[in-house]
Amino acid sequence: MLEETLKRIQAHKGVIGTIVVNAEGIPIRTTLDSSTTVQYAGLLHQLTMKARSTVRDIDPQNDLTFLRIRSKKHEIMVAPDKEYLLIVIQNPSEYLLPQ
Amino acid sequence: MEIVYVYTKKRSEFGRQCNFSDKPAELHVDILPDPSLTDNFIDRDPCDVAIQCTQEMSEHEVNTERFDCEPCGINHVEGGWPKDVNSQEMEQTIRYRKKVEKDENYVNTLMQLGSHMEHCIRQNNTIDIYQEYFEEEEIVEEMEGQPSAKTVNVFRDPNEVKRTATSLSWHPDGSCKLAVAYSSMEFQKVTKDMSYDSYIWDLENTNKPEMTLKPVSPLVCLEYNPKDSHILIGGSYNGQIAYWDTRKGSQPVEMSAVEHSHRDPVYKVIWLQSKTGTDSFSASTDGQVLWWDIRKMSEPTERLVLDPSKKGNLDNALGAFSLEFETTMPTKFMVGTEQGVVVSCNRKAKTPAEKIVCTYSGHYGPIYALQRNPFFPKNFLTVADWTARIWSEDIRDSSIMWTKYHMAYLSDGCWSPARPSVFFTVKMDGTLDIWDFLFKQNDPTLSLKVCDEALYSLRVQDNGRFLGCGSQLGTATLLEISSGLCTLQKNEKALATAMFERETKREKILEACHREMRLKERSRSEQSKEDEAKDGEAEESAEELVACAEREFYEVVEAEMKKRGKDDKKEKEKYERKLGKTVSNENIFMFTDYLNTSSQEF
C-alpha cells in the first residue's frame, strides 16, 4: 500500500525525485543519488524546522502543514510531520521551463 | 575703580633689555567688602536648586572589530545515525532503514503525507499558479487622475544682488546638472557689486552651486554641448561669445574677439551638428547671426545680416531674439526677431541674398521662443507678446493655431520632448502653463503659479518629466510633472497629425479665399479707375487716419464697457436673488471680478 503510494508519486509528470527523511535527518527512502539526497535532507530539515517555528511563533495554535519552495528550475515540496519529512522535487510543467 | 600702576623711565633706558629681579610680595590694592553694596541686591528666598542623585556617566563610543564574513558552501555529511550504526557500512544502514520502514507509525504518517503531496503535485501539473495573465498586452496606464506638477527643488541665486535667470540648459546625459545663466536684463540696472557669475547646479544640492562660471560680462544664454558634456558655450551681455570646459575651471577657455562679436547682448546661442562637434551659431538684436568654431574664436566663420530686403544692410536689419535649429534638418534654421517676424533661412545658400528664404509674420512683439515640434518638424511654436502660436512651414501669412491673448506677457516656451501635443509656456506673472491641445484648446491643461515674480526662461529635460524655470530674482525652480503629461498616449501621434493637417488646410483655404477677394477687389478697382480716371480722391492724410483709428478704438472700448455694465447688472440681480436681499454696488463689483478672473470670459 505504501509502496504503491510512493511509486505513484514518483510516477507523476515532472517529478524528479522523492526523499523520506526521519527526525534525525537520516534519509530513509530516496530515489535520488546519495550525495544529493544527503544535501536535500540536511538543508530542508533545518529549513522546515525554522518554518515551523516561525509559524508557531506568530500564532502558537497554528502549525506548518506544507512547505513549497519554487525556484527557477523546479519546485521543492516538503510535507512535514512530527517525525518524518516527505520531500518531492518536481518540475512544474513542461511549458513553464525556465523563462 | 581703575587700578593703575605708574612708573617712570629715563629715555636713554628705552629699548634696553629687561632686567628681572626678585622682589617680595607687595600689596598693591586691597578692596574691602562694602556692606552698603548689599542694598543693590535682594536675597532670593526660597532658592530653587535642582539636584539629582545619579551615577555620573560619560559617553563612550566603541567600535567593535569588524568580523570578516566569507560565503562558503557546506557539504553535508551524513549524520544522525544512531551510535550502533556505522554510516559507512552499507549493510548496517540498510538494515536500519528496513527497520524504520516496518514501523507502523512510519507507514501511517507517510500515507497521510503522500496523499497531501499528491494533491500538490497534481495541482502543479494542472495549472501554473504563478502564471502571469495578460502579459503580452501593453499595460495601459490610465492617466492618474488630474495632471499635476510639483516643485521638486528651488535653486536661489547665492549673491546678495539678485539677477534674472535668463537661460537654463540641462546636462546632455543623465540630466543631473542644470546650467543657469544669470544677468540683469533691465537697461542700465547693473550695479557695481552685481556679480557676473553663472552657475552649474547639481540637482541634489540646492545650497551651493556645483560650479561657477566667471565670464567677463554677465551671460545671457548658456548651452551645453550635446556631444561633449564638459563644454558649454555662453553668449554674454556685451556681445561676446565664450566657451568653458568644466574640467578646466571657472574661467572661459576662450572668448571671441570684441571687434568681431555682436554689438548687442547675445540672446541665443545654439550648438550645431558637425563632425567636429565644435560649431555653433549665435544671434543678437544687432541684426546679425554669426557662426563660430570654438577652436578659433577670434572671428566668426560666417556672418548673416537679417535684412529682409536681402541687401545685407545692417541698418535695415531685424534684431534677432531667438534661434531655432533642428539636427534633423541641418541646412535650415529659423530666427525669431524683435519685430515679431520669424525668418527662415537656408544655411547652404551661395549668396547672402538667398540665405533668407521666407518670413512669417503675425506677432506684435519680440519673439522670445521659437522651436520646432520634435515629432513634427514642419510645425513650430513661437512665443511672443501675449500669445503662443503654432505655425506650419507652408503657410506664411498666419499661424495655424494660437492661444488666446493672456493678461500677462509670455516670456518663454518649449515643446515637450515626450508628447507631440504638449507644450509649456511661462508668463511674466510667474505662472507656468502646460498646454495639451489634444485635450483642451482654449485653456492650458494645467496652470501653476511658480513664483511671485516674473518667469523669464524655461527648459524641459530630455525625458519630458522635469522642467526648470528661471525667474526675475534668479530663482531656478525644478518641477516634476505627472506621468500622464510625459508619456506618449496611444494614438497621440495620429491625432496630432490629424489636427495639424486640419488646421493647415483651414489656413490654406482661408488664404485662398483672401487671395480671391483681393483679386476681385483689384479688378474692380482697376475697372473703376478706368471709368473715372481723373477722379483723384486725395489720399487721406496720416492725421486723418490716426483720428479715424482712435475713434474706432474708443467705440470698441465703449461697447465693451457697456457690455460689462450689462453683465454686472445681470450678475447683481442673480446674486440678489440668491441672497434674497439687495447688495451694495461695491460687493457686486468684487464678486463679478472674481467671476471674470476665473476663466470663462476671455
Side-chain angles (χ1 to χ4, degrees), chain B residues 14-27:
Chain B
F14 278 3
R16 285 235 194 119
Q17 89 230 66
C18 293
N19 282 331
F20 293 107
S21 56
D22 272 332
K23 253 182 131 174
E26 261 178 44
L27 181 63

Side-chain angles (χ1 to χ4, degrees), chain B residues 106-119:
Chain B
Y106 171 81
V107 177
N108 287 342
T109 319
L110 228 46
M111 290 294 288
Q112 204 190 14
L113 295 179
S115 63
H116 205 167
M117 180 67 76
E118 260 200 280
H119 165 78

Side-chain angles (χ1 to χ4, degrees), chain A residues 8 12 27 70 81 90 96, chain B residues 97 109 118 124-125 128 130:
Chain A
R8 204 175 53 230
H12 269 292
R70 198 169 252 235
D81 179 75
Q90 185 195 21
L96 297 171
Chain B
R97 282 200 179 103
T109 319
E118 260 200 280
N124 269 346
N125 280 334
D128 174 17
Y130 296 105

Side-chain angles (χ1 to χ4, degrees), chain B residues 59-79:
Chain B
E59 195 180 296
H60 278 279
E61 270 179 28
V62 173
N63 204 7
T64 53
E65 265 182 42
R66 284 189 66 220
F67 58 89
D68 285 322
C69 306
E70 213 182 270
C72 66
I74 306 180
N75 202 6
H76 286 265
V77 176
E78 227 171 297

